[in-house]
Amino acid sequence: MRKKRQKTQLELAFAPAVAGEARRGRDGGTEFRAAGPAAESPAVVGPQMEEVLDRENLRKALQAVRRNKGAPGADGMTVAELPAHLEEHWPIIRDQLLNGTYLPQPVRRVMIPKASGGERPLGIPTVRDRFIQQAVLQVLQGAWDPTFCEHSYGFRPGRSAHQAVARAQAYVAAGYGWVVDLDLEQFFDRVNHDRLMARVAQRVEDKRLLKLIRGFLTAGVMEGGLVGPTVQGTPQGGPLSPLLSNLVLDELDRELEKRGHCFVRYADDCNIYVRSERAGQRVMAGVTRFVERRLKLKVSAAKSAVAPPGRRQFLGFSLTAGEGSKRRIAPKASARFKQKVRELTRRTRGRSLEQMIEELARYLKGWLGYFGFCQTPTVLQALDHWIRRRLRAVAWKQWKRGRTRYLALRRRGVGHALAAKTAGSAHGPWRLSNSPALHAALSNTYLASLGLPSLHASHAA
């Protein structure tokens, strides 16, 4: 009953603006003029604030924010508290958006680990700002996405990292045996606000929307209880940031198209495929000049390279050369996988074997959903074997003493002689994890009955 009441009240709060409000915003009435003129010079008619505030669009935005969950922003408000907040304050917020006077709050900065090591900053907007950003995103993405380059795959509806890797693989199979692997250094932190807003203004006429988007870019960052300014960059963590990054890099896409290159871009990860090392070095030099002089971004000399595709990784995969090019799990991705499995199966975590497998299964299913796209089943088979062997070694350590180990083996159907011999062995857990006794006691079938998924079997299926 409470949920039904809450839904009804939110629908009333999201009711369409009365005609007078909309006209004041569009015609530049007293309240809108008080907000001051926008700095941008829009060139074309585009999405309007009224589309953002459409009731159905707002309902979808609220659903998306609640579905994505996420941590509180600088004001401490949780996603669960957002509906009640909107129920009480939405009419005021809507008027501010219509009048161009809404002020986004600073984002809360946290540091998260990078897959390649180190940390990167993540800006967490307040849940209210996330809701408004999501509503803006839904309108802008619908208008902008069809105009983006076909070689761009990141953060776009109906496109995926798997499609990007498959496109890259097709280039390699067609004889493009060298890749120009571009790494844009701290891309999200270096985006120039004026250049970005100039590109937004080419697609959006509504000054209220332009002012709101710039407000999200310059809202500031709260770190350690202090708020600092943001003079460049698009803070990672907000719903709008990926779309704005695609708008910035669409200029790079168009330049690469104009030059006739074969390339694939996923967010700030761009690979250009050429037929020789010499051509690759020439392309690297030319594109680096364009990125740094025209886009005012920085190409990382340390992380960018011209190399055969098999020596580089793209979205976690490497590609074998030649007409029969295959997708392989990149060595770094494989190393990260093993490190995560080691963490989940560490004996000192105080988990039983059953609990370990339950946690491990969740990770493996998610990992396989992405890396199962590889075309090297023998690698998955080897990882399967390694995981099961590690679990057997963990169980052996948990049993600790010879008597306990003997009884555990006997309970699981191992004969007296083999159980006694194995329990009294001086060999270490890793060596014994591959022994006949532990294979029999903790068979593949038994581990599967505890919920352990098979990477290789799932891939084959």
Side-chain angles (χ1 to χ4, degrees), residues 44 162 202 206 226 282 425 428:
V44 295
H162 286 174
Q202 291 173 355
D206 192 321
L226 300 175
R282 186 172 63 249
S425 173

PDB file of all heavy atoms in Angstrom, residues 44 162 202 206 226 282 425 428:
ATOM      1  N   VAL A  44      22.089  25.318 -33.689  1.00  0.00           N
ATOM      2  CA  VAL A  44      20.964  24.575 -34.235  1.00  0.00           C
ATOM      3  C   VAL A  44      19.941  24.304 -33.137  1.00  0.00           C
ATOM      4  O   VAL A  44      20.258  24.282 -31.958  1.00  0.00           O
ATOM      5  CB  VAL A  44      21.423  23.220 -34.837  1.00  0.00           C
ATOM      6  CG1 VAL A  44      22.323  23.433 -36.030  1.00  0.00           C
ATOM      7  CG2 VAL A  44      22.118  22.368 -33.795  1.00  0.00           C
ATOM      8  N   HIS A 162      32.278  -6.599 -26.852  1.00  0.00           N
ATOM      9  CA  HIS A 162      32.444  -7.782 -27.699  1.00  0.00           C
ATOM     10  C   HIS A 162      32.371  -7.419 -29.173  1.00  0.00           C
ATOM     11  O   HIS A 162      33.138  -7.935 -29.999  1.00  0.00           O
ATOM     12  CB  HIS A 162      31.375  -8.826 -27.366  1.00  0.00           C
ATOM     13  CG  HIS A 162      31.628  -9.538 -26.073  1.00  0.00           C
ATOM     14  ND1 HIS A 162      30.736 -10.416 -25.522  1.00  0.00           N
ATOM     15  CD2 HIS A 162      32.691  -9.508 -25.219  1.00  0.00           C
ATOM     16  CE1 HIS A 162      31.226 -10.904 -24.391  1.00  0.00           C
ATOM     17  NE2 HIS A 162      32.405 -10.358 -24.181  1.00  0.00           N
ATOM     18  N   GLN A 202      26.603  23.119 -30.551  1.00  0.00           N
ATOM     19  CA  GLN A 202      26.306  22.848 -31.956  1.00  0.00           C
ATOM     20  C   GLN A 202      25.083  21.946 -32.107  1.00  0.00           C
ATOM     21  O   GLN A 202      24.488  21.868 -33.180  1.00  0.00           O
ATOM     22  CB  GLN A 202      27.514  22.187 -32.634  1.00  0.00           C
ATOM     23  CG  GLN A 202      28.707  23.104 -32.788  1.00  0.00           C
ATOM     24  CD  GLN A 202      29.931  22.360 -33.302  1.00  0.00           C
ATOM     25  OE1 GLN A 202      29.926  21.132 -33.465  1.00  0.00           O
ATOM     26  NE2 GLN A 202      30.998  23.098 -33.570  1.00  0.00           N
ATOM     27  N   ASP A 206      18.740  25.120 -26.481  1.00  0.00           N
ATOM     28  CA  ASP A 206      18.128  25.522 -25.218  1.00  0.00           C
ATOM     29  C   ASP A 206      19.201  25.963 -24.218  1.00  0.00           C
ATOM     30  O   ASP A 206      20.015  25.161 -23.751  1.00  0.00           O
ATOM     31  CB  ASP A 206      17.317  24.348 -24.654  1.00  0.00           C
ATOM     32  CG  ASP A 206      16.422  24.762 -23.503  1.00  0.00           C
ATOM     33  OD1 ASP A 206      16.854  25.586 -22.682  1.00  0.00           O
ATOM     34  OD2 ASP A 206      15.292  24.253 -23.424  1.00  0.00           O
ATOM     35  N   LEU A 226      36.514  19.139   2.071  1.00  0.00           N
ATOM     36  CA  LEU A 226      36.717  20.441   1.428  1.00  0.00           C
ATOM     37  C   LEU A 226      36.280  20.388  -0.022  1.00  0.00           C
ATOM     38  O   LEU A 226      36.482  19.381  -0.709  1.00  0.00           O
ATOM     39  CB  LEU A 226      38.189  20.851   1.510  1.00  0.00           C
ATOM     40  CG  LEU A 226      38.785  20.988   2.926  1.00  0.00           C
ATOM     41  CD1 LEU A 226      40.266  21.278   2.845  1.00  0.00           C
ATOM     42  CD2 LEU A 226      38.061  22.075   3.704  1.00  0.00           C
ATOM     43  N   ARG A 282      54.096   6.046 -38.823  1.00  0.00           N
ATOM     44  CA  ARG A 282      53.663   7.288 -39.467  1.00  0.00           C
ATOM     45  C   ARG A 282      52.287   7.718 -38.942  1.00  0.00           C
ATOM     46  O   ARG A 282      52.059   8.890 -38.649  1.00  0.00           O
ATOM     47  CB  ARG A 282      53.613   7.075 -40.983  1.00  0.00           C
ATOM     48  CG  ARG A 282      53.307   8.340 -41.774  1.00  0.00           C
ATOM     49  CD  ARG A 282      53.466   8.120 -43.263  1.00  0.00           C
ATOM     50  NE  ARG A 282      52.538   7.123 -43.778  1.00  0.00           N
ATOM     51  CZ  ARG A 282      52.891   5.919 -44.218  1.00  0.00           C
ATOM     52  NH1 ARG A 282      54.160   5.544 -44.199  1.00  0.00           N
ATOM     53  NH2 ARG A 282      51.984   5.072 -44.674  1.00  0.00           N
ATOM     54  N   SER A 425      51.574 -38.319   4.071  1.00  0.00           N
ATOM     55  CA  SER A 425      52.583 -37.844   3.126  1.00  0.00           C
ATOM     56  C   SER A 425      53.258 -36.575   3.629  1.00  0.00           C
ATOM     57  O   SER A 425      52.627 -35.725   4.281  1.00  0.00           O
ATOM     58  CB  SER A 425      51.919 -37.571   1.769  1.00  0.00           C
ATOM     59  OG  SER A 425      52.847 -36.968   0.878  1.00  0.00           O
ATOM     60  N   GLY A 428      53.634 -31.188   0.235  1.00  0.00           N
ATOM     61  CA  GLY A 428      52.824 -30.021   0.555  1.00  0.00           C
ATOM     62  C   GLY A 428      51.437 -30.076  -0.065  1.00  0.00           C
ATOM     63  O   GLY A 428      51.144 -30.939  -0.915  1.00  0.00           O
TER      64      GLY A 428
END
